[in-house]
Amino acid sequence: VRAIAETDSNTLLLGTFSGLNRVDMQTLKVTPYKFNPDEPGTLSYYSIHSLLKDNTGALWVGTWKGLNYYSPVRTQFYRITPREFTGLLGMGKEDSDGNIWFATEGAGLFCYNPNTQSQQFYPKKSPYKNNYNSNIFKSLLIKGDSIICATNLGSVYLFSRKRKDYRLLYDYQYGDIYTLLNDSKGRLWIPTNSKTGLVLIDKGEQINQFKVDGHISTVRVVDFGCLQSQQCAKNLCRLSVKCFHISKGFTFDNREGALIGSSFICGGYI
């Protein structure tokens, strides 16, 4: 499972290596969506990399081959083919104007305007000069005019929607940064996969005292005082943002807004 999204109170969608699946939350029945590249109204490709529900309730599905829009009214998929090469379409976010942004692997940022059906690419370097690796983004976070985006090489950039340019913020020099988190206090959390570990940026000051074992794949707020980090092939850690204490190898209780078991779906993990 690569991506997960709750479309309504009764439906959960799972995007996997081999397709898109609908989970009925009442019966727990799993129904796969049809994939047939020759049949209109179906997914353009079977390998799903991202799921995004926008403010209208519509679903956006990023794949290795193009973008898919699912209309809840017409209950079918519409295929949006990028005009230029994008590689896979990874993490997606919606900005305050309703534009849909995707982190791509090979073309920088990709922006689609549903109202005008216009699309625009924002590569960090020219894609025509053998700069594929320089245009790989793994995650993004939208804050007003700015889009913070992270790469597969441990770099974090600030993209200005107004100026249409990139500025390097931090360079941890190694590893994918799979997610970025802006907490309720406006602080930025960066789960690096370098020796730096989990980094907190508070009012421009960098705090990196959160040492965990293994590579961090996801960071999520689970209650009012704690962050949760998922590590690749290791364990789950809980960080109290009040005292900055890390707990390992624990289980959550649902009544406390957390997790039961080692494999789970709630909160976007599997």
Side-chain angles (χ1 to χ4, degrees), residues 101-127:
W101 294 81
F102 282 91
T104 77
E105 293 205 5
L109 292 175
F110 171 65
C111 179
Y112 183 79
N113 185 319
N115 295 321
T116 63
Q117 298 185 7
S118 61
Q119 52 180 271
Q120 186 65 51
F121 291 88
Y122 298 102
K124 187 164 59 69
K125 292 185 178 180
S126 171

mmCIF file of all heavy atoms in Angstrom, residues 101-127:
data_model
loop_
_atom_site.group_PDB
_atom_site.id
_atom_site.type_symbol
_atom_site.label_atom_id
_atom_site.label_comp_id
_atom_site.label_asym_id
_atom_site.label_seq_id
_atom_site.Cartn_x
_atom_site.Cartn_y
_atom_site.Cartn_z
ATOM 1 N N TRP A 101 -1.243 20.429 -6.847
ATOM 2 C CA TRP A 101 0.210 20.338 -7.030
ATOM 3 C C TRP A 101 0.682 18.915 -6.742
ATOM 4 O O TRP A 101 0.208 18.289 -5.791
ATOM 5 C CB TRP A 101 0.928 21.303 -6.093
ATOM 6 C CG TRP A 101 0.688 22.742 -6.379
ATOM 7 C CD1 TRP A 101 -0.411 23.486 -6.010
ATOM 8 C CD2 TRP A 101 1.546 23.634 -7.096
ATOM 9 N NE1 TRP A 101 -0.282 24.774 -6.442
ATOM 10 C CE2 TRP A 101 0.903 24.901 -7.112
ATOM 11 C CE3 TRP A 101 2.788 23.494 -7.709
ATOM 12 C CZ2 TRP A 101 1.484 26.005 -7.731
ATOM 13 C CZ3 TRP A 101 3.366 24.601 -8.316
ATOM 14 C CH2 TRP A 101 2.716 25.837 -8.331
ATOM 15 N N PHE A 102 1.637 18.456 -7.553
ATOM 16 C CA PHE A 102 2.214 17.136 -7.341
ATOM 17 C C PHE A 102 3.734 17.220 -7.346
ATOM 18 O O PHE A 102 4.330 17.974 -8.132
ATOM 19 C CB PHE A 102 1.778 16.154 -8.440
ATOM 20 C CG PHE A 102 0.385 15.633 -8.266
ATOM 21 C CD1 PHE A 102 -0.688 16.286 -8.837
ATOM 22 C CD2 PHE A 102 0.144 14.493 -7.498
ATOM 23 C CE1 PHE A 102 -1.978 15.818 -8.674
ATOM 24 C CE2 PHE A 102 -1.143 14.019 -7.326
ATOM 25 C CZ PHE A 102 -2.208 14.682 -7.913
ATOM 26 N N ALA A 103 4.338 16.435 -6.461
ATOM 27 C CA ALA A 103 5.778 16.229 -6.503
ATOM 28 C C ALA A 103 6.034 15.123 -7.518
ATOM 29 O O ALA A 103 5.447 14.044 -7.418
ATOM 30 C CB ALA A 103 6.299 15.825 -5.122
ATOM 31 N N THR A 104 6.863 15.381 -8.510
ATOM 32 C CA THR A 104 7.135 14.376 -9.534
ATOM 33 C C THR A 104 8.554 13.827 -9.374
ATOM 34 O O THR A 104 9.390 14.425 -8.704
ATOM 35 C CB THR A 104 6.989 14.954 -10.955
ATOM 36 O OG1 THR A 104 8.156 15.749 -11.269
ATOM 37 C CG2 THR A 104 5.741 15.815 -11.071
ATOM 38 N N GLU A 105 8.792 12.730 -10.024
ATOM 39 C CA GLU A 105 10.147 12.173 -10.060
ATOM 40 C C GLU A 105 10.690 12.372 -11.465
ATOM 41 O O GLU A 105 10.521 11.532 -12.349
ATOM 42 C CB GLU A 105 10.149 10.710 -9.648
ATOM 43 C CG GLU A 105 9.788 10.520 -8.192
ATOM 44 C CD GLU A 105 10.345 9.234 -7.604
ATOM 45 O OE1 GLU A 105 11.091 8.527 -8.305
ATOM 46 O OE2 GLU A 105 10.024 8.945 -6.445
ATOM 47 N N GLY A 106 11.294 13.545 -11.670
ATOM 48 C CA GLY A 106 11.924 13.834 -12.943
ATOM 49 C C GLY A 106 11.543 15.157 -13.567
ATOM 50 O O GLY A 106 12.191 15.600 -14.519
ATOM 51 N N ALA A 107 10.479 15.825 -13.035
ATOM 52 C CA ALA A 107 10.040 17.079 -13.650
ATOM 53 C C ALA A 107 9.797 18.180 -12.629
ATOM 54 O O ALA A 107 9.164 19.184 -12.934
ATOM 55 C CB ALA A 107 8.777 16.841 -14.475
ATOM 56 N N GLY A 108 10.249 18.015 -11.395
ATOM 57 C CA GLY A 108 10.033 19.035 -10.375
ATOM 58 C C GLY A 108 8.592 19.048 -9.894
ATOM 59 O O GLY A 108 8.006 17.992 -9.629
ATOM 60 N N LEU A 109 8.001 20.224 -9.780
ATOM 61 C CA LEU A 109 6.609 20.361 -9.362
ATOM 62 C C LEU A 109 5.693 20.429 -10.584
ATOM 63 O O LEU A 109 6.030 21.050 -11.594
ATOM 64 C CB LEU A 109 6.425 21.621 -8.523
ATOM 65 C CG LEU A 109 7.088 21.626 -7.143
ATOM 66 C CD1 LEU A 109 6.922 22.994 -6.488
ATOM 67 C CD2 LEU A 109 6.516 20.541 -6.249
ATOM 68 N N PHE A 110 4.524 19.796 -10.468
ATOM 69 C CA PHE A 110 3.516 19.815 -11.521
ATOM 70 C C PHE A 110 2.245 20.424 -10.948
ATOM 71 O O PHE A 110 1.770 20.007 -9.885
ATOM 72 C CB PHE A 110 3.241 18.390 -12.016
ATOM 73 C CG PHE A 110 2.070 18.281 -12.961
ATOM 74 C CD1 PHE A 110 2.104 18.892 -14.198
ATOM 75 C CD2 PHE A 110 0.944 17.552 -12.604
ATOM 76 C CE1 PHE A 110 1.024 18.782 -15.074
ATOM 77 C CE2 PHE A 110 -0.138 17.433 -13.467
ATOM 78 C CZ PHE A 110 -0.094 18.045 -14.711
ATOM 79 N N CYS A 111 1.705 21.438 -11.627
ATOM 80 C CA CYS A 111 0.509 22.135 -11.157
ATOM 81 C C CYS A 111 -0.616 21.989 -12.177
ATOM 82 O O CYS A 111 -0.408 22.216 -13.382
ATOM 83 C CB CYS A 111 0.824 23.614 -10.932
ATOM 84 S SG CYS A 111 -0.598 24.593 -10.367
ATOM 85 N N TYR A 112 -1.820 21.652 -11.677
ATOM 86 C CA TYR A 112 -2.982 21.518 -12.551
ATOM 87 C C TYR A 112 -4.120 22.362 -11.998
ATOM 88 O O TYR A 112 -4.444 22.290 -10.806
ATOM 89 C CB TYR A 112 -3.415 20.057 -12.654
ATOM 90 C CG TYR A 112 -4.573 19.847 -13.609
ATOM 91 C CD1 TYR A 112 -4.358 19.802 -14.985
ATOM 92 C CD2 TYR A 112 -5.877 19.708 -13.141
ATOM 93 C CE1 TYR A 112 -5.410 19.628 -15.872
ATOM 94 C CE2 TYR A 112 -6.939 19.530 -14.019
ATOM 95 C CZ TYR A 112 -6.698 19.490 -15.385
ATOM 96 O OH TYR A 112 -7.752 19.314 -16.248
ATOM 97 N N ASN A 113 -4.713 23.186 -12.872
ATOM 98 C CA ASN A 113 -5.848 24.021 -12.498
ATOM 99 C C ASN A 113 -7.130 23.368 -12.999
ATOM 100 O O ASN A 113 -7.375 23.326 -14.211
ATOM 101 C CB ASN A 113 -5.702 25.419 -13.103
ATOM 102 C CG ASN A 113 -6.792 26.373 -12.645
ATOM 103 O OD1 ASN A 113 -7.965 26.005 -12.548
ATOM 104 N ND2 ASN A 113 -6.409 27.606 -12.359
ATOM 105 N N PRO A 114 -7.973 22.814 -12.105
ATOM 106 C CA PRO A 114 -9.186 22.118 -12.537
ATOM 107 C C PRO A 114 -10.187 23.023 -13.246
ATOM 108 O O PRO A 114 -10.951 22.555 -14.103
ATOM 109 C CB PRO A 114 -9.776 21.589 -11.225
ATOM 110 C CG PRO A 114 -8.647 21.586 -10.262
ATOM 111 C CD PRO A 114 -7.808 22.755 -10.652
ATOM 112 N N ASN A 115 -10.209 24.312 -12.917
ATOM 113 C CA ASN A 115 -11.182 25.226 -13.518
ATOM 114 C C ASN A 115 -10.857 25.540 -14.973
ATOM 115 O O ASN A 115 -11.736 25.564 -15.833
ATOM 116 C CB ASN A 115 -11.267 26.516 -12.709
ATOM 117 C CG ASN A 115 -11.803 26.286 -11.305
ATOM 118 O OD1 ASN A 115 -12.714 25.487 -11.105
ATOM 119 N ND2 ASN A 115 -11.239 26.973 -10.330
ATOM 120 N N THR A 116 -9.577 25.798 -15.247
ATOM 121 C CA THR A 116 -9.163 26.134 -16.611
ATOM 122 C C THR A 116 -8.595 24.933 -17.360
ATOM 123 O O THR A 116 -8.346 25.020 -18.561
ATOM 124 C CB THR A 116 -8.100 27.240 -16.585
ATOM 125 O OG1 THR A 116 -6.933 26.753 -15.895
ATOM 126 C CG2 THR A 116 -8.620 28.475 -15.850
ATOM 127 N N GLN A 117 -8.367 23.832 -16.633
ATOM 128 C CA GLN A 117 -7.756 22.616 -17.180
ATOM 129 C C GLN A 117 -6.356 22.891 -17.726
ATOM 130 O O GLN A 117 -5.865 22.200 -18.614
ATOM 131 C CB GLN A 117 -8.639 21.998 -18.265
ATOM 132 C CG GLN A 117 -10.009 21.569 -17.758
ATOM 133 C CD GLN A 117 -10.832 20.863 -18.810
ATOM 134 O OE1 GLN A 117 -10.369 20.567 -19.903
ATOM 135 N NE2 GLN A 117 -12.081 20.571 -18.479
ATOM 136 N N SER A 118 -5.710 23.919 -17.181
ATOM 137 C CA SER A 118 -4.339 24.230 -17.600
ATOM 138 C C SER A 118 -3.353 23.498 -16.707
ATOM 139 O O SER A 118 -3.646 23.161 -15.559
ATOM 140 C CB SER A 118 -4.097 25.740 -17.519
ATOM 141 O OG SER A 118 -4.260 26.206 -16.185
ATOM 142 N N GLN A 119 -2.195 23.244 -17.231
ATOM 143 C CA GLN A 119 -1.150 22.546 -16.483
ATOM 144 C C GLN A 119 0.180 23.237 -16.698
ATOM 145 O O GLN A 119 0.439 23.840 -17.737
ATOM 146 C CB GLN A 119 -1.060 21.081 -16.901
ATOM 147 C CG GLN A 119 -0.919 20.838 -18.391
ATOM 148 C CD GLN A 119 -0.836 19.357 -18.732
ATOM 149 O OE1 GLN A 119 0.255 18.797 -18.764
ATOM 150 N NE2 GLN A 119 -1.974 18.745 -18.981
ATOM 151 N N GLN A 120 1.023 23.157 -15.662
ATOM 152 C CA GLN A 120 2.315 23.820 -15.729
ATOM 153 C C GLN A 120 3.353 23.017 -14.963
ATOM 154 O O GLN A 120 3.070 22.487 -13.878
ATOM 155 C CB GLN A 120 2.224 25.228 -15.145
ATOM 156 C CG GLN A 120 3.482 26.052 -15.286
ATOM 157 C CD GLN A 120 3.820 26.349 -16.732
ATOM 158 O OE1 GLN A 120 2.969 26.831 -17.484
ATOM 159 N NE2 GLN A 120 5.046 26.076 -17.135
ATOM 160 N N PHE A 121 4.539 22.925 -15.533
ATOM 161 C CA PHE A 121 5.657 22.253 -14.881
ATOM 162 C C PHE A 121 6.628 23.284 -14.335
ATOM 163 O O PHE A 121 6.852 24.325 -14.954
ATOM 164 C CB PHE A 121 6.402 21.356 -15.876
ATOM 165 C CG PHE A 121 5.614 20.153 -16.313
ATOM 166 C CD1 PHE A 121 4.759 20.230 -17.391
ATOM 167 C CD2 PHE A 121 5.717 18.958 -15.633
ATOM 168 C CE1 PHE A 121 4.021 19.143 -17.799
ATOM 169 C CE2 PHE A 121 4.985 17.864 -16.029
ATOM 170 C CZ PHE A 121 4.133 17.953 -17.119
ATOM 171 N N TYR A 122 7.216 22.965 -13.180
ATOM 172 C CA TYR A 122 8.216 23.822 -12.576
ATOM 173 C C TYR A 122 9.429 22.977 -12.186
ATOM 174 O O TYR A 122 9.611 22.622 -11.025
ATOM 175 C CB TYR A 122 7.643 24.538 -11.364
ATOM 176 C CG TYR A 122 6.486 25.453 -11.705
ATOM 177 C CD1 TYR A 122 5.173 25.054 -11.461
ATOM 178 C CD2 TYR A 122 6.706 26.697 -12.285
ATOM 179 C CE1 TYR A 122 4.107 25.880 -11.778
ATOM 180 C CE2 TYR A 122 5.639 27.536 -12.613
ATOM 181 C CZ TYR A 122 4.349 27.117 -12.351
ATOM 182 O OH TYR A 122 3.289 27.931 -12.678
ATOM 183 N N PRO A 123 10.270 22.647 -13.176
ATOM 184 C CA PRO A 123 11.491 21.892 -12.859
ATOM 185 C C PRO A 123 12.487 22.760 -12.117
ATOM 186 O O PRO A 123 12.544 23.974 -12.322
ATOM 187 C CB PRO A 123 12.009 21.471 -14.236
ATOM 188 C CG PRO A 123 11.501 22.545 -15.157
ATOM 189 C CD PRO A 123 10.161 22.951 -14.610
ATOM 190 N N LYS A 124 13.267 22.125 -11.251
ATOM 191 C CA LYS A 124 14.296 22.873 -10.530
ATOM 192 C C LYS A 124 15.437 23.229 -11.480
ATOM 193 O O LYS A 124 16.035 24.292 -11.389
ATOM 194 C CB LYS A 124 14.805 22.052 -9.348
ATOM 195 C CG LYS A 124 15.749 22.795 -8.424
ATOM 196 C CD LYS A 124 15.889 22.079 -7.094
ATOM 197 C CE LYS A 124 16.419 20.669 -7.233
ATOM 198 N NZ LYS A 124 17.849 20.674 -7.671
ATOM 199 N N LYS A 125 15.728 22.303 -12.389
ATOM 200 C CA LYS A 125 16.705 22.539 -13.451
ATOM 201 C C LYS A 125 16.076 22.111 -14.773
ATOM 202 O O LYS A 125 15.125 21.336 -14.791
ATOM 203 C CB LYS A 125 17.998 21.746 -13.198
ATOM 204 C CG LYS A 125 18.802 22.221 -12.003
ATOM 205 C CD LYS A 125 20.117 21.474 -11.903
ATOM 206 C CE LYS A 125 20.960 21.984 -10.741
ATOM 207 N NZ LYS A 125 22.263 21.264 -10.637
ATOM 208 N N SER A 126 16.611 22.611 -15.850
ATOM 209 C CA SER A 126 16.056 22.293 -17.160
ATOM 210 C C SER A 126 15.993 20.778 -17.371
ATOM 211 O O SER A 126 17.007 20.075 -17.232
ATOM 212 C CB SER A 126 16.916 22.911 -18.276
ATOM 213 O OG SER A 126 16.496 22.432 -19.532
ATOM 214 N N PRO A 127 14.803 20.231 -17.706
ATOM 215 C CA PRO A 127 14.684 18.779 -17.897
ATOM 216 C C PRO A 127 15.309 18.301 -19.195
ATOM 217 O O PRO A 127 15.377 17.094 -19.440
ATOM 218 C CB PRO A 127 13.168 18.563 -17.909
ATOM 219 C CG PRO A 127 12.613 19.856 -18.414
ATOM 220 C CD PRO A 127 13.529 20.925 -17.885
#
